[in-house]
Amino acid sequence: MAQPILSSLLLLLLLLLISSSSVSATRSSYIIHMAKDQKPARFAEHSKWYDESLRSISDSAEILYTYQTVANGFSASLTAAEARVLARRPGVLSVLPDTAYHLHTTRTPEFLGLDRSDVGHILESSSATDIIVGVLDTGVWPERNSFDDAGLGPIPDGWKGECVGGKDFDPAKACNRKLIGARFYSKGYESSTGPIDESKESKSPRDDDGHGTHTSTTAAGSAVHEASLLGYAQGTARGMSPRARLAVYKVCWAGGCFSSDILAAMDAAVDDGCNVLSLSLGGGAADYYRDSVAIGAFNAMEKGVLVSCSAGNAGPAAATLSNIAPWITTVGAGTIDRDFPAYVVLGNGKNFTGVSLYSGKPLPSSPISFVFAGNATNSSNGNLCMPGTLLPEKVAGKVVLCERGINARVQKGIVVKDAGGAGMVLANTAANGEELVADAHLLPATLIGEKAGNVIKAYAISDPNPTATIISGGTKVDVQPSPVVAAFSSRGPNSVTPDILKPDLVAPGVNILAGWTGAVGPTGLPADSRRVEFNIVSGTSMSCPHVSGLAAFLKAAHPDWSPAAIKSALMTTAYVEYPSGGGILDVATGKPATPFDFGAGHVDPPRAIDPGLVYDLAADDYLDFLCALNYTSIQIAAIVKSRNFSCDSNKSYAVSKLNYPSFAVVFETAITGTTGQTTERTTTVIHERSVTNVGSPGIYKAVATAKVDGGEVNITVDPSELNFAETGETKSYTVRFTAPSQPSGSSGLGRSSISTVQDNYTLVKPTKMSLHAEILWGE
């Protein structure tokens, strides 16, 4: 018996060794940043050096991409051990694991004032057709009318991009003078997740998801008359810069978007000649030298390209932002003045307003049997209407009340329908509060807020014979108050650099109508066989391309403006109050929002054309900012491609010296001693700024106030008056913020304005520039 047991033990040991070996040899994709100036002279090209560096640690690893425009280096599929060895090679700055990013998912031109006569001439100008917006997303459905090139002249000189073919994508038919470029990037994704299943998605620039077509047409789609989703939101759909050209870079696939692919696409887009890059995706917050989007965006900025990114959909929790580097324009989401009401009518005579985009056969006008899903299931989570949890004998022919959570809103409706239900009332829970997002349901359905949901649930449970019906209210416009900050929109403070206020601003991102793919229905679910040209979607993914298109619009109006100047114009002219008075509301709380929610405020394009003054920034300013963060030379080199740079030990650096268009001030907290006695200290923080006059000569005068939880903050602007004799003139000023120490977690906000004064009287015109000060009480 001993011999078989010994053989079994040896076999088991051998299997364990094989298993251990296979685990240790698992490969993942990495991005390798190289010090460009350290290339040995024996290599004629950097790519040869990269290849030799890789060969030195692995005979089988292959280079996925070589980066040369927005980064220096390459990406490759490596084992963890190979990555560690490569990191020690000469000239290697960093070896970063490939990061999975995720998507952050038209009345808006009118809502934003782009239909005004004093704005329209810019949108239709010849300079507008010279601007190219690059969209990094899920690709494009090129047959949509939003990509019609009627009336557009030749492709701009200097464009070096391509229209790359692939499955179901013929470049000769897909691209034109509107959609001038299309590429796709999947090497990093496939290295990490395995080969793309081409029976389910196209390995080409074609958009099988819809997200990319929606974002690109939001930014710069051509005007399409009589647009709608199933009859909702009828009108003319057009992008923010409808005469601009588009180039799409497919970087997102069914399993996500990987940083090596994103960086390769940014590399190509800048080299191709894009003026604006739009990225409605994010991977959380990280140090800038470890953030691939931040690295790519820095080098794009240095080449004059503005990068606009979504803030994320992790709100309303604090410190949930993505894409927070100061050289990125970070965009949160708000509502517009349009809604799609669908009313719940109960048998007891009470009515409640929800939202829906259902367009099929309606329920009877008289209430029918109504049941709470939690009472029609044998499952502990049956209230959520998860697949397979509802009992058909208890829901057949009835309206079912489901609660929001875990599975998709539209999927809950399919669960009800499959169980024989006639309709669905979907109720928000505390996690979503009163925020209402409309969906194109497959059965009569409406989404209601938490408060109404609690009342309706109590009725469904307590009444011996509850009944209900749902009545559509169609499309409603001029809804007030609007905008309000969306609850899902990610919030500050900035978790990497609290001294930089993020998000930068908010733009329309709720119930936005734009182009859609022909591959899936408006819900994106396999059970949805409907096909539509336009869809209504919500998310900071939708607000980001609004700002990308507006940046293109401003670039057309002011071709000589830098990315920082464009960003400044959008921020300093943003508004934080309604015309009738009162601060912009936060739907999550029902109270006025704060700069943690909306940054500088809600974008106002007509005013941004003529901001009066701008805060300009160049790459050198951002390098000083990195020095203020105490970044090492190696960390800075991982970000900066164009030069060798080291911080000057004899120079004083401070984040407060970055010429940013908003202020975030961090004070010390009160100290509690061992005896329990609190010691308060008064702290003064000084910020330095410079403004450039891009308008007419004039005198600008500053007034500033701010309050915190414990009282007022004293703000002094010096000088308090700036006299500009000519356009292009730059002047500097300082702002001193003085406040007593406060308990940790205290916060407050302030606003200072600079108005134009001439000949000793104030001009009756909008404030030319607004500075938003968010007071942060840190440790």
Side-chain angles (χ1 to χ4, degrees):
M1 294 293 293
Q3 186 63 38
I5 292 175
L6 181 59
S7 298
S8 298
L9 289 173
L10 290 173
L11 178 60
L12 177 60
L13 180 60
L14 179 61
L15 288 173
L16 288 172
L17 288 172
I18 292 173
S19 174
S20 175
S21 175
S22 64
V23 170
S24 64
T26 299
R27 292 184 179 275
S28 300
S29 48
Y30 290 81
I31 299 174
I32 299 90
H33 292 278
M34 304 289 287
K36 183 179 181 180
D37 62 307
Q38 294 185 27
K39 177 181 70 68
R42 68 179 184 276
F43 296 105
E45 300 175 359
H46 281 83
S47 59
K48 301 295 185 183
W49 176 38
Y50 301 159
D51 187 66
E52 194 276 341
S53 298
L54 184 59
R55 293 280 79 76
S56 70
I57 59 98
S58 174
D59 292 330
S60 57
E62 294 183 358
I63 289 179
L64 302 176
Y65 298 108
T66 296
Y67 307 114
Q68 58 183 7
T69 302
V70 299
N72 289 318
F74 62 99
S75 55
S77 183
L78 306 169
T79 66
E82 289 170 344
R84 288 192 294 270
V85 174
L86 183 58
R88 295 192 290 267
R89 289 278 303 173
V92 176
L93 295 171
S94 62
V95 178
L96 303 180
D98 215 346
T99 302
Y101 286 66
H102 301 282
L103 298 168
H104 289 152
T105 116
T106 287
R107 180 172 168 79
T108 49
E110 290 81 4
F111 181 70
L112 294 174
L114 293 175
D115 59 338
R116 287 173 29 176
S117 59
D118 58 337
V119 175
H121 73 282
I122 298 174
L123 293 173
E124 298 299 322
S125 67
S126 58
S127 60
T129 68
D130 294 332
I131 307 303
I132 303 165
V133 180
V135 180
L136 282 66
D137 213 294
T138 64
V140 63
W141 196 268
E143 292 79 13
R144 292 305 182 217
N145 290 322
S146 297
F147 301 109
D148 187 1
D149 65 354
L152 291 174
I155 293 172
D157 294 337
W159 173 247
K160 299 189 293 183
E162 295 182 44
C163 195
V164 177
K167 182 184 177 184
D168 303 323
F169 198 89
D170 181 354
K173 297 179 180 179
C175 291
N176 56 18
R177 291 170 299 174
K178 177 65 174 180
L179 180 62
I180 63 174
R183 300 178 185 265
F184 67 98
Y185 298 85
S186 63
K187 293 178 182 178
Y189 174 76
E190 291 185 285
S191 175
S192 297
T193 65
I196 289 171
D197 184 349
E198 296 193 55
S199 68
K200 296 181 179 179
E201 56 182 333
S202 303
K203 195 172 180 180
S204 75
R206 183 165 292 281
D207 180 14
D208 302 300
D209 178 271
H211 192 275
T213 301
H214 198 282
T215 55
S216 59
T217 55
T218 297
S222 298
V224 180
H225 302 292
E226 299 181 1
S228 73
L229 168 63
L230 306 172
Y232 289 97
Q234 291 182 335
T236 298
R238 60 185 176 91
M240 297 299 98
S241 188
R243 303 281 290 173
R245 316 298 177 119
L246 277 166
V248 299
Y249 301 83
K250 184 175 180 179
V251 297
C252 296
W253 306 85
C257 330
F258 279 72
S259 53
S260 59
D261 297 326
I262 296 169
L263 196 60
M266 296 179 79
D267 207 61
V270 173
D271 191 56
D272 286 347
C274 292
N275 305 105
V276 176
L277 296 187
S278 185
L279 289 79
S280 291
L281 47 83
D287 289 318
Y288 307 127
Y289 61 88
R290 300 184 61 85
D291 184 337
S292 293
V293 170
I295 292 170
F298 183 96
N299 295 285
M301 169 275 302
E302 195 167 18
K303 293 180 179 294
V305 178
L306 183 141
V307 180
S308 170
C309 295
S310 50
N313 296 340
T320 50
L321 294 162
S322 296
N323 304 312
I324 53 180
W327 48 85
I328 291 174
T329 302
T330 310
V331 189
T335 65
I336 62 173
D337 62 343
R338 180 181 63 197
D339 213 346
F340 309 100
Y343 308 101
V344 181
V345 180
L346 301 181
N348 62 6
K350 292 184 178 180
N351 300 336
F352 300 89
T353 301
V355 294
S356 180
L357 297 169
Y358 173 72
S359 65
K361 182 180 178 180
L363 291 173
S365 56
S366 298
I368 62 175
S369 294
F370 183 43
V371 64
F372 171 52
N375 291 338
T377 180
N378 290 327
S379 172
S380 60
N381 61 357
N383 60 307
L384 300 177
C385 296
M386 302 281 286
T389 61
L390 297 182
L391 299 174
E393 64 271 19
K394 292 191 175 183
V395 303
K398 299 179 181 179
V399 176
V400 181
L401 173 64
C402 302
E403 292 184 322
R404 191 169 169 184
I406 301 182
N407 59 329
R409 300 183 299 270
V410 288
Q411 187 186 54
K412 295 175 187 291
I414 293 177
V415 171
V416 172
K417 184 178 181 181
D418 289 345
M424 176 183 70
V425 176
L426 179 58
N428 278 346
T429 60
N432 303 102
E434 301 307 308
E435 180 172 64
L436 301 181
V437 178
D439 294 300
H441 293 280
L442 289 164
L443 84 170
T446 185
L447 173 66
I448 57 174
E450 179 194 10
K451 294 177 182 177
N454 291 337
V455 175
I456 294 173
K457 179 180 176 180
Y459 165 74
I461 293 174
S462 62
D463 194 287
N465 185 32
T467 58
T469 192
I470 300 169
I471 300 175
S472 173
T475 302
K476 183 179 180 181
V477 296
D478 296 322
V479 174
Q480 298 300 330
S482 61
V484 297
V485 177
F488 60 74
S489 187
S490 290
R491 313 302 171 98
N494 184 330
S495 59
V496 175
T497 315
D499 311 70
I500 301 296
L501 179 63
K502 290 283 184 172
D504 290 309
L505 40 71
V506 294
V510 179
N511 296 336
I512 303 302
L513 179 76
W516 195 245
T517 178
V520 297
T523 65
L525 297 176
D528 190 354
S529 61
R530 299 170 297 178
R531 295 296 180 265
V532 296
E533 183 168 355
F534 295 92
N535 198 7
I536 294 174
V537 188
S538 299
T540 56
S541 280
M542 286 62 251
S543 56
C544 167
H546 276 86
V547 169
S548 305
L550 294 175
F553 161 70
L554 290 181
K555 186 69 174 178
H558 304 283
D560 58 333
W561 279 11
S562 68
I566 293 173
K567 176 178 178 176
S568 172
L570 291 168
M571 290 176 64
T572 61
T573 59
Y575 60 91
V576 298
E577 295 180 344
Y578 299 115
S580 58
I584 290 176
L585 297 177
D586 178 4
V587 73
T589 63
K591 300 176 181 179
T594 76
F596 284 142
D597 309 321
F598 55 58
H602 191 282
V603 67
D604 189 352
R607 290 187 63 208
I609 297 173
D610 180 21
L613 306 176
V614 296
Y615 295 83
D616 211 351
L617 283 160
D620 287 346
D621 300 304
Y622 292 116
L623 290 174
D624 287 350
F625 163 78
L626 297 177
C627 291
L629 298 181
N630 294 318
Y631 275 23
T632 66
S633 297
I634 291 178
Q635 290 168 343
I636 293 175
I639 300 172
V640 182
K641 174 187 181 298
S642 62
R643 72 189 87 173
N644 296 322
F645 180 84
S646 296
C647 302
D648 186 347
S649 60
N650 295 318
K651 185 175 180 180
S652 174
Y653 298 101
V655 173
S656 60
K657 293 182 180 181
L658 184 68
N659 201 36
Y660 213 66
S662 61
F663 298 89
V665 187
V666 181
F667 288 105
E668 295 181 0
T669 58
I671 298 176
T672 301
T674 55
T675 62
Q677 184 177 4
T678 300
T679 302
E680 293 188 1
R681 293 172 294 177
T682 297
T683 304
T684 296
V685 179
I686 301 174
H687 281 248
E688 300 177 9
R689 294 293 190 271
S690 297
V691 284
T692 300
N693 182 30
V694 293
S696 303
I699 300 173
Y700 290 79
K701 190 171 184 178
V703 177
T705 59
K707 290 186 177 181
V708 296
D709 295 344
E712 290 193 1
V713 175
N714 182 268
I715 303 177
T716 304
V717 182
D718 184 31
S720 61
E721 190 172 286
L722 298 174
N723 187 347
F724 292 92
E726 58 186 11
T727 302
E729 190 176 0
T730 298
K731 290 184 178 293
S732 299
Y733 68 94
T734 61
V735 185
R736 298 172 65 92
F737 299 89
T738 302
S741 55
Q742 294 286 322
S744 178
S746 301
S747 65
L749 59 95
R751 178 179 176 86
S752 59
S753 62
I754 296 183
S755 55
T756 309
V757 180
Q758 291 183 347
D759 298 329
N760 296 319
Y761 66 90
T762 302
L763 295 177
V764 181
K765 60 190 296 187
T767 300
K768 284 302 228 177
M769 179 178 64
S770 297
L771 316 177
H772 303 263
E774 184 67 24
I775 313 303
L776 312 178
W777 302 98
E779 293 294 339

